[in-house]
């Protein structure tokens, strides 16, 4: 019987060792699962932030296109005004040179007078 107790005691040590190993593996796995869940939460946060960033980038793109279009039209209007002013000045110069617009009152012709 004593031999049986010795074997039983030896078996208990093995069982205890296996239980400790199983508990160790269980703790490691629990820790790993916790880390995976925390990583998933961080990934969700990153996904939310990236979606917000993408929406902000899209809004910035639309706003910048509107501003660029607005400045382009202002530039076109300025060029048109400058061209019209230059054309008016050239037209006035041409009309003055051709005599269509008199520069001053015409000078009366001097007629020679006869001396008696």
């Amino acid at each position: 019987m004593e031999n049986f107790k010795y074997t039983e005691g030896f078996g208990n040590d093995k069982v205890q060792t296996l239980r400790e190993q199983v508990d160790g593996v269980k703790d490691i796995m629990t820790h790993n699962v916790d880390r995976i869940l925390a990583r998933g939460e961080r990934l969700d946060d990153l996904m939310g932030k990236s979606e917000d960033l993408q929406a902000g980038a899209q809004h910035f793109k639309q706003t910048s296109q509107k501003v660029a279009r607005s400045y382009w039209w202002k530039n076109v209007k300025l060029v048109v005004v400058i061209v019209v002013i230059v054309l008016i000045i050239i037209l006035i110069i041409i009309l003055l040179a051709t005599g269509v617009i008199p520069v001053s009152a015409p000078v009366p012709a001097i007629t020679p007078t006869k001396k008696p």
Side-chain angles (χ1 to χ4, degrees):
M1 289 258 172
E2 199 156 313
N3 195 11
F4 179 70
K5 285 185 179 180
Y6 176 74
T7 325
E8 186 179 304
F10 181 70
N12 282 340
D13 287 343
K14 254 187 169 182
V15 169
Q16 185 64 29
T17 304
L18 286 174
R19 281 186 183 167
E20 288 174 0
Q21 287 177 349
V22 167
D23 287 341
V25 169
K26 184 175 134 184
D27 289 341
I28 291 172
M29 291 305 293
T30 304
H31 181 67
N32 287 342
V33 167
D34 289 341
R35 286 177 47 200
I36 288 171
L37 290 175
R39 181 175 179 252
E41 289 173 4
R42 287 192 310 249
L43 286 175
D44 289 341
D45 290 344
L46 283 176
M47 289 290 288
K49 288 178 182 179
S50 67
E51 288 171 359
D52 292 344
L53 186 61
Q54 185 176 7
Q58 183 66 27
H59 178 69
F60 176 77
K61 181 180 177 184
Q62 290 172 347
T63 304
S64 66
Q65 286 174 343
K66 287 179 184 177
V67 169
R69 195 175 303 121
S70 171
Y71 277 106
W72 183 82
W73 277 112
K74 284 182 181 181
N75 190 30
V76 167
K77 289 175 188 176
L78 181 65
V79 168
V80 167
V81 167
I82 290 173
V83 167
V84 167
I85 290 172
V86 167
L87 288 175
I88 289 173
I89 291 172
I90 290 173
L91 181 66
I92 290 173
I93 291 173
I94 290 173
L95 292 177
L96 286 173
T98 57
V100 174
I101 300 176
V103 179
S104 61
V107 178
I110 302 178
T111 55
T113 56
K114 291 186 184 178
K115 286 191 181 181

